Amino acid sequence: MLPRTGFWRAVFNAFCLLIALLPDTVHAQAARMEVIPFESLTLTDQEFLTGREEGKPVTIAGELRLPRVGNERFPLVVLLHGACGACGLVLDWERDFLAMGVATFVIDSFTSRGIANTNDDPSRLGQLAQTEDAYRALALLVKHPRIDPTRVMLMGFSRGGHSTLYASLTRFQRMHAAASEAHFAAYVAFYPSCNFRYRDDDDLTAQPVRVFMGTADNYTPIGACRDYVDRLKAKGKDVHLIEYQGAGHTFDARAYNPPRVLPQALTTRNCQVEEADHGQFVNAKTKQPFSYNDPCVERGTTLAYNEAAATQVRKDMAEFVAMTLKPTRSP
Protein backbone atom coordinates (compact mmCIF):
# COMPACT_ATOMS: atom_id res chain seq x y z
CA MET A 1 0.00 0.00 0.00
CA LEU A 2 1.26 3.48 -0.84
CA PRO A 3 1.99 5.83 2.08
CA ARG A 4 -0.58 8.57 2.37
CA THR A 5 1.49 11.25 0.64
CA GLY A 6 2.43 8.83 -2.11
CA PHE A 7 -1.17 7.81 -2.60
CA TRP A 8 -2.36 11.37 -3.11
CA ARG A 9 0.56 12.11 -5.42
CA ALA A 10 -0.60 9.15 -7.52
CA VAL A 11 -4.18 10.43 -7.42
CA PHE A 12 -3.05 13.88 -8.51
CA ASN A 13 -1.02 12.43 -11.39
CA ALA A 14 -4.01 10.38 -12.48
CA PHE A 15 -6.19 13.48 -12.53
CA CYS A 16 -3.58 15.35 -14.56
CA LEU A 17 -3.52 12.51 -17.09
CA LEU A 18 -7.30 12.59 -17.27
CA ILE A 19 -7.27 16.34 -17.93
CA ALA A 20 -4.78 15.87 -20.74
CA LEU A 21 -7.15 13.43 -22.42
CA LEU A 22 -10.26 15.58 -22.13
CA PRO A 23 -11.74 17.41 -25.14
CA ASP A 24 -10.47 20.91 -25.83
CA THR A 25 -13.88 22.38 -25.04
CA VAL A 26 -13.49 21.35 -21.39
CA HIS A 27 -9.97 22.81 -21.25
CA ALA A 28 -11.15 26.12 -22.67
CA GLN A 29 -13.95 26.60 -20.20
CA ALA A 30 -12.16 25.69 -16.97
CA ALA A 31 -10.01 28.62 -15.87
CA ARG A 32 -8.70 26.71 -12.87
CA MET A 33 -8.79 23.13 -11.61
CA GLU A 34 -8.03 21.95 -8.07
CA VAL A 35 -7.92 18.37 -6.78
CA ILE A 36 -9.23 18.60 -3.22
CA PRO A 37 -8.99 15.65 -0.81
CA PHE A 38 -11.38 15.49 2.12
CA GLU A 39 -12.21 13.13 4.95
CA SER A 40 -15.32 10.98 4.83
CA LEU A 41 -16.59 7.67 6.21
CA THR A 42 -17.51 4.43 4.51
CA LEU A 43 -20.83 3.74 6.20
CA THR A 44 -23.06 0.72 5.87
CA ASP A 45 -26.70 1.53 5.28
CA GLN A 46 -27.51 0.44 8.82
CA GLU A 47 -24.88 2.79 10.23
CA PHE A 48 -26.19 5.65 8.11
CA LEU A 49 -29.86 5.02 8.94
CA THR A 50 -29.22 4.85 12.67
CA GLY A 51 -27.14 8.03 12.65
CA ARG A 52 -23.89 6.34 13.62
CA GLU A 53 -20.66 7.97 12.47
CA GLU A 54 -18.64 4.85 13.19
CA GLY A 55 -17.72 3.68 9.71
CA LYS A 56 -14.29 3.23 8.24
CA PRO A 57 -12.49 6.57 7.77
CA VAL A 58 -11.49 7.27 4.18
CA THR A 59 -9.84 10.19 2.39
CA ILE A 60 -11.46 10.73 -0.98
CA ALA A 61 -10.85 13.32 -3.66
CA GLY A 62 -12.95 15.72 -5.62
CA GLU A 63 -12.14 17.82 -8.66
CA LEU A 64 -13.08 21.50 -8.47
CA ARG A 65 -13.25 23.48 -11.72
CA LEU A 66 -13.76 27.24 -11.88
CA PRO A 67 -15.11 28.91 -15.03
CA ARG A 68 -13.12 32.15 -14.82
CA VAL A 69 -10.05 33.71 -13.25
CA GLY A 70 -10.40 36.58 -10.82
CA ASN A 71 -11.81 36.99 -7.34
CA GLU A 72 -15.55 36.54 -7.83
CA ARG A 73 -17.47 33.86 -5.98
CA PHE A 74 -19.22 31.34 -8.18
CA PRO A 75 -22.29 29.18 -7.73
CA LEU A 76 -21.33 25.52 -7.57
CA VAL A 77 -22.76 22.16 -8.61
CA VAL A 78 -21.52 19.16 -6.62
CA LEU A 79 -21.76 16.06 -8.83
CA LEU A 80 -22.27 12.48 -7.59
CA HIS A 81 -21.44 9.83 -10.17
CA GLY A 82 -23.32 6.61 -10.83
CA ALA A 83 -22.21 2.97 -10.88
CA CYS A 84 -19.59 3.61 -13.58
CA GLY A 85 -17.66 6.05 -11.39
CA ALA A 86 -16.55 9.50 -12.54
CA CYS A 87 -17.03 8.64 -16.21
CA GLY A 88 -17.76 10.64 -19.37
CA LEU A 89 -21.37 11.38 -18.45
CA VAL A 90 -20.24 13.52 -15.51
CA LEU A 91 -17.58 15.25 -17.59
CA ASP A 92 -20.19 16.23 -20.20
CA TRP A 93 -22.17 18.05 -17.53
CA GLU A 94 -19.03 19.72 -16.19
CA ARG A 95 -18.55 21.36 -19.57
CA ASP A 96 -22.15 22.57 -19.69
CA PHE A 97 -22.08 24.10 -16.22
CA LEU A 98 -18.76 25.83 -16.79
CA ALA A 99 -20.22 27.41 -19.94
CA MET A 100 -23.05 28.78 -17.76
CA GLY A 101 -20.56 30.39 -15.37
CA VAL A 102 -21.06 27.71 -12.71
CA ALA A 103 -18.20 25.95 -10.90
CA THR A 104 -18.26 22.16 -10.59
CA PHE A 105 -17.00 19.69 -7.99
CA VAL A 106 -16.95 16.03 -9.03
CA ILE A 107 -16.66 13.65 -6.08
CA ASP A 108 -14.90 10.36 -6.77
CA SER A 109 -16.56 8.06 -4.24
CA PHE A 110 -15.00 4.87 -5.64
CA THR A 111 -11.23 5.08 -6.22
CA SER A 112 -10.08 5.53 -2.63
CA ARG A 113 -12.44 2.74 -1.58
CA GLY A 114 -10.91 0.34 -4.08
CA ILE A 115 -14.02 0.20 -6.29
CA ALA A 116 -14.04 0.40 -10.09
CA ASN A 117 -17.81 0.17 -10.59
CA THR A 118 -20.85 -1.30 -8.87
CA ASN A 119 -23.01 -2.43 -11.79
CA ASP A 120 -22.49 -6.12 -11.09
CA ASP A 121 -22.34 -5.83 -7.30
CA PRO A 122 -24.16 -2.81 -5.78
CA SER A 123 -23.49 -4.16 -2.29
CA ARG A 124 -19.84 -3.08 -2.53
CA LEU A 125 -20.89 0.34 -1.23
CA GLY A 126 -23.84 1.32 0.92
CA GLN A 127 -26.88 2.79 -0.79
CA LEU A 128 -26.39 6.11 1.04
CA ALA A 129 -22.60 6.28 1.34
CA GLN A 130 -22.43 8.99 -1.32
CA THR A 131 -24.88 11.11 0.68
CA GLU A 132 -22.33 11.14 3.50
CA ASP A 133 -19.64 12.17 0.99
CA ALA A 134 -21.85 14.99 -0.29
CA TYR A 135 -22.51 16.42 3.18
CA ARG A 136 -18.82 16.36 4.04
CA ALA A 137 -17.79 17.93 0.73
CA LEU A 138 -20.32 20.73 1.22
CA ALA A 139 -18.96 21.56 4.68
CA LEU A 140 -15.53 22.02 3.11
CA LEU A 141 -16.48 23.79 -0.11
CA VAL A 142 -18.57 26.55 1.49
CA LYS A 143 -15.29 27.80 3.00
CA HIS A 144 -13.57 28.05 -0.38
CA PRO A 145 -12.82 31.70 -1.27
CA ARG A 146 -14.15 31.33 -4.82
CA ILE A 147 -17.45 29.62 -3.92
CA ASP A 148 -20.69 31.34 -2.89
CA PRO A 149 -21.91 29.20 0.04
CA THR A 150 -25.54 30.17 -0.57
CA ARG A 151 -25.55 28.86 -4.17
CA VAL A 152 -24.40 25.25 -4.02
CA MET A 153 -26.54 22.60 -5.73
CA LEU A 154 -26.25 18.81 -5.42
CA MET A 155 -26.74 16.73 -8.57
CA GLY A 156 -26.38 12.97 -9.03
CA PHE A 157 -26.86 10.21 -11.57
CA SER A 158 -28.41 6.76 -11.00
CA ARG A 159 -27.04 5.54 -7.65
CA GLY A 160 -25.63 9.06 -7.20
CA GLY A 161 -29.12 10.33 -8.06
CA HIS A 162 -30.56 8.19 -5.27
CA SER A 163 -28.03 9.66 -2.82
CA THR A 164 -28.88 13.16 -4.08
CA LEU A 165 -32.63 12.71 -3.82
CA TYR A 166 -32.53 11.45 -0.24
CA ALA A 167 -29.85 13.93 0.84
CA SER A 168 -32.78 16.36 0.96
CA LEU A 169 -34.38 14.48 3.89
CA THR A 170 -34.51 16.51 7.08
CA ARG A 171 -33.84 13.41 9.17
CA PHE A 172 -30.64 12.54 7.31
CA GLN A 173 -29.36 16.10 7.52
CA ARG A 174 -30.05 16.18 11.23
CA MET A 175 -28.16 12.91 11.76
CA HIS A 176 -25.20 13.50 9.44
CA ALA A 177 -24.88 17.19 8.64
CA ALA A 178 -25.95 18.89 11.85
CA ALA A 179 -22.39 19.92 12.71
CA SER A 180 -22.28 22.11 9.60
CA GLU A 181 -24.52 25.10 9.02
CA ALA A 182 -24.15 24.67 5.27
CA HIS A 183 -27.15 23.67 3.16
CA PHE A 184 -27.58 22.80 -0.49
CA ALA A 185 -29.64 25.31 -2.44
CA ALA A 186 -31.27 22.60 -4.60
CA TYR A 187 -31.21 18.86 -5.32
CA VAL A 188 -31.26 17.37 -8.84
CA ALA A 189 -31.55 13.60 -9.28
CA PHE A 190 -31.17 11.91 -12.65
CA TYR A 191 -32.88 8.50 -12.96
CA PRO A 192 -32.61 7.51 -9.27
CA SER A 193 -34.12 4.40 -7.74
CA CYS A 194 -37.19 5.41 -5.75
CA ASN A 195 -38.24 1.94 -4.63
CA PHE A 196 -36.42 2.21 -1.29
CA ARG A 197 -38.78 3.67 1.28
CA TYR A 198 -37.23 5.36 4.30
CA ARG A 199 -38.82 6.42 7.53
CA ASP A 200 -39.94 10.06 7.46
CA ASP A 201 -39.02 10.27 3.78
CA ASP A 202 -41.79 12.81 3.16
CA ASP A 203 -40.08 15.33 5.46
CA LEU A 204 -37.81 17.24 3.10
CA THR A 205 -35.99 20.54 3.44
CA ALA A 206 -37.56 23.60 1.85
CA GLN A 207 -35.08 23.72 -1.05
CA PRO A 208 -36.36 22.65 -4.50
CA VAL A 209 -35.93 19.05 -5.65
CA ARG A 210 -36.07 17.99 -9.31
CA VAL A 211 -36.06 14.47 -10.73
CA PHE A 212 -35.29 13.80 -14.41
CA MET A 213 -36.20 10.39 -15.85
CA GLY A 214 -36.97 8.58 -19.08
CA THR A 215 -40.20 6.65 -19.44
CA ALA A 216 -38.42 3.62 -21.00
CA ASP A 217 -35.82 3.14 -18.24
CA ASN A 218 -35.36 -0.58 -17.50
CA TYR A 219 -32.69 -0.06 -14.82
CA THR A 220 -34.56 2.24 -12.43
CA PRO A 221 -38.12 2.33 -13.82
CA ILE A 222 -40.04 5.57 -13.49
CA GLY A 223 -43.14 4.22 -11.72
CA ALA A 224 -41.72 4.25 -8.20
CA CYS A 225 -40.50 7.84 -8.63
CA ARG A 226 -43.92 8.94 -9.87
CA ASP A 227 -45.47 7.52 -6.72
CA TYR A 228 -42.88 9.09 -4.44
CA VAL A 229 -43.08 12.52 -6.06
CA ASP A 230 -46.89 12.44 -5.90
CA ARG A 231 -46.65 11.65 -2.19
CA LEU A 232 -44.25 14.54 -1.62
CA LYS A 233 -46.33 17.01 -3.64
CA ALA A 234 -49.38 16.05 -1.57
CA LYS A 235 -47.35 17.28 1.42
CA GLY A 236 -46.74 20.62 -0.32
CA LYS A 237 -43.07 19.99 -1.11
CA ASP A 238 -41.27 21.79 -3.94
CA VAL A 239 -40.61 18.58 -5.90
CA HIS A 240 -41.16 17.94 -9.60
CA LEU A 241 -40.60 14.91 -11.83
CA ILE A 242 -39.72 15.77 -15.41
CA GLU A 243 -40.35 12.87 -17.81
CA TYR A 244 -38.80 12.24 -21.23
CA GLN A 245 -40.89 10.01 -23.44
CA GLY A 246 -39.18 6.91 -24.79
CA ALA A 247 -35.88 7.68 -23.07
CA GLY A 248 -33.94 5.03 -21.17
CA HIS A 249 -31.30 4.98 -18.44
CA THR A 250 -28.41 7.44 -18.99
CA PHE A 251 -30.38 9.08 -21.81
CA ASP A 252 -28.17 12.18 -21.47
CA ALA A 253 -24.86 10.30 -21.91
CA ARG A 254 -23.37 10.56 -25.40
CA ALA A 255 -21.08 7.60 -24.61
CA TYR A 256 -24.07 5.24 -24.88
CA ASN A 257 -24.77 5.85 -28.55
CA PRO A 258 -25.28 3.13 -29.70
CA PRO A 259 -26.92 1.66 -26.58
CA ARG A 260 -24.94 -0.64 -24.32
CA VAL A 261 -26.51 -3.76 -22.79
CA LEU A 262 -25.17 -4.87 -19.42
CA PRO A 263 -26.30 -8.49 -19.13
CA GLN A 264 -24.80 -9.01 -15.65
CA ALA A 265 -25.79 -5.69 -14.07
CA LEU A 266 -28.05 -6.13 -11.06
CA THR A 267 -31.28 -4.17 -10.83
CA THR A 268 -33.92 -3.89 -8.10
CA ARG A 269 -36.53 -2.71 -10.61
CA ASN A 270 -39.08 -5.28 -9.38
CA CYS A 271 -38.27 -4.92 -5.68
CA GLN A 272 -39.96 -2.90 -2.98
CA VAL A 273 -37.60 -2.24 -0.11
CA GLU A 274 -38.37 -0.43 3.12
CA GLU A 275 -36.53 0.62 6.24
CA ALA A 276 -37.50 -1.39 9.31
CA ASP A 277 -36.35 -1.25 12.93
CA HIS A 278 -32.70 -0.53 13.74
CA GLY A 279 -31.89 0.68 10.23
CA GLN A 280 -32.48 -2.68 8.56
CA PHE A 281 -33.68 -2.95 4.96
CA VAL A 282 -36.46 -5.47 4.46
CA ASN A 283 -38.29 -6.75 1.43
CA ALA A 284 -41.65 -4.97 1.67
CA LYS A 285 -43.53 -8.03 0.42
CA THR A 286 -41.89 -10.75 2.50
CA LYS A 287 -40.84 -8.60 5.48
CA GLN A 288 -37.56 -10.51 5.46
CA PRO A 289 -34.13 -8.80 5.47
CA PHE A 290 -33.37 -7.55 1.98
CA SER A 291 -30.26 -8.62 0.07
CA TYR A 292 -29.17 -8.65 -3.55
CA ASN A 293 -29.85 -12.40 -3.52
CA ASP A 294 -33.59 -11.80 -3.18
CA PRO A 295 -35.73 -13.32 -5.97
CA CYS A 296 -36.95 -9.83 -6.93
CA VAL A 297 -33.41 -8.80 -7.93
CA GLU A 298 -32.70 -9.35 -11.63
CA ARG A 299 -29.80 -9.07 -14.06
CA GLY A 300 -29.76 -7.26 -17.36
CA THR A 301 -30.08 -3.54 -18.05
CA THR A 302 -29.61 -1.15 -20.94
CA LEU A 303 -27.80 2.19 -21.08
CA ALA A 304 -28.95 4.30 -24.02
CA TYR A 305 -28.40 7.84 -25.25
CA ASN A 306 -31.49 9.65 -26.54
CA GLU A 307 -30.62 12.75 -28.55
CA ALA A 308 -34.03 14.41 -28.28
CA ALA A 309 -34.25 13.85 -24.52
CA ALA A 310 -30.61 14.89 -23.99
CA THR A 311 -31.17 18.14 -25.88
CA GLN A 312 -34.34 18.93 -23.95
CA VAL A 313 -32.95 18.07 -20.52
CA ARG A 314 -30.06 20.48 -21.04
CA LYS A 315 -32.53 23.25 -21.81
CA ASP A 316 -34.56 22.29 -18.75
CA MET A 317 -31.46 22.23 -16.56
CA ALA A 318 -30.26 25.59 -17.89
CA GLU A 319 -33.59 27.13 -16.86
CA PHE A 320 -33.47 25.53 -13.43
CA VAL A 321 -29.87 26.64 -12.84
CA ALA A 322 -30.70 30.19 -13.92
CA MET A 323 -33.62 30.24 -11.48
CA THR A 324 -31.90 28.67 -8.46
CA LEU A 325 -28.19 29.52 -8.76
CA LYS A 326 -28.41 32.76 -10.78
CA PRO A 327 -24.98 32.47 -12.45
CA THR A 328 -23.30 35.37 -14.22
CA ARG A 329 -21.83 34.64 -17.61
CA SER A 330 -18.48 36.10 -18.60
CA PRO A 331 -18.59 39.49 -20.38
Side-chain angles (χ1 to χ4, degrees):
M1 179 178 293
L2 286 170
R4 188 164 182 170
T5 55
F7 172 78
W8 283 111
R9 187 177 299 112
V11 170
F12 179 77
N13 290 339
F15 268 108
C16 290
L17 177 61
L18 174 64
I19 293 163
L21 296 174
L22 291 178
D24 291 340
T25 51
V26 176
H27 285 281
Q29 293 170 0
R32 178 176 173 81
M33 189 278 288
E34 301 175 17
V35 176
I36 302 178
F38 63 95
E39 301 301 316
S40 189
L41 291 171
T42 302
L43 297 175
T44 66
D45 289 319
Q46 186 175 25
E47 287 170 336
F48 188 94
L49 292 171
T50 55
R52 290 152 53 194
E53 297 275 309
E54 301 170 1
K56 182 180 179 181
V58 60
T59 303
I60 62 178
E63 178 189 280
L64 176 69
R65 290 180 181 271
L66 303 176
R68 293 189 294 275
V69 297
N71 298 315
E72 67 182 298
R73 287 177 175 254
F74 294 107
L76 172 70
V77 177
V78 176
L79 295 155
L80 298 182
H81 60 71
C84 67
C87 51
L89 165 62
V90 180
L91 302 180
D92 284 347
W93 279 103
E94 271 194 302
R95 178 192 60 196
D96 293 341
F97 288 128
L98 290 166
M100 298 178 201
V102 177
T104 60
F105 187 74
V106 176
I107 299 176
D108 180 358
S109 292
F110 283 1
T111 301
S112 294
R113 292 181 168 112
I115 300 171
N117 71 74
T118 59
N119 280 313
D120 297 348
D121 186 6
S123 66
R124 297 190 68 190
L125 188 64
Q127 190 82 4
L128 297 163
Q130 287 177 275
T131 303
E132 179 79 13
D133 294 346
Y135 290 154
R136 287 174 174 258
L138 176 65
L140 176 69
L141 292 166
V142 294
K143 300 174 184 177
H144 194 285
R146 301 295 305 280
I147 299 302
D148 182 343
T150 67
R151 294 186 291 163
V152 182
M153 182 173 81
L154 183 62
M155 177 173 170
F157 308 89
S158 197
R159 74 169 292 148
H162 181 97
S163 291
T164 295
L165 179 59
Y166 294 101
S168 66
L169 268 59
T170 301
R171 172 189 164 210
F172 291 169
Q173 293 187 8
R174 185 172 59 247
M175 290 193 298
H176 296 282
S180 171
E181 296 182 357
H183 297 284
F184 287 108
Y187 302 83
V188 173
F190 273 64
Y191 28 84
S193 56
C194 298
N195 56 335
F196 283 69
R197 186 159 184 171
Y198 300 99
R199 291 183 171 180
D200 301 324
D201 64 2
D202 57 0
D203 182 8
L204 272 60
T205 60
Q207 286 72 32
V209 176
R210 298 294 181 269
V211 181
F212 297 91
M213 298 193 74
T215 60
D217 195 320
N218 72 350
Y219 205 152
T220 56
I222 196 170
C225 286
R226 284 174 177 155
D227 294 342
Y228 183 44
V229 169
D230 286 346
R231 185 157 54 90
L232 293 173
K233 292 176 78 171
K235 292 279 188 176
K237 305 301 181 181
D238 185 1
V239 182
H240 294 281
L241 171 62
I242 299 88
E243 302 184 14
Y244 300 90
Q245 294 299 314
H249 205 71
T250 64
F251 65 84
D252 54 321
R254 298 179 180 90
Y256 300 117
N257 182 21
R260 181 183 176 190
V261 177
L262 303 178
Q264 294 302 312
L266 288 173
T267 169
T268 61
R269 60 190 166 214
N270 290 319
C271 301
Q272 296 177 17
V273 184
E274 61 187 20
E275 179 187 354
D277 293 339
H278 312 298
Q280 291 278 0
F281 280 142
V282 299
N283 186 312
K285 292 184 177 180
T286 66
K287 302 303 179 184
Q288 297 301 307
F290 172 77
S291 81
Y292 286 96
N293 292 318
D294 276 19
C296 66
V297 178
E298 299 179 346
R299 290 190 184 272
T301 61
T302 303
L303 310 180
Y305 176 68
N306 183 298
E307 184 173 2
T311 300
Q312 186 59 50
V313 78
R314 281 171 165 79
K315 293 178 181 178
D316 295 339
M317 272 301 302
E319 292 178 3
F320 185 65
V321 167
M323 178 182 68
T324 55
L325 299 184
K326 299 179 173 57
T328 302
R329 294 181 183 271
S330 59

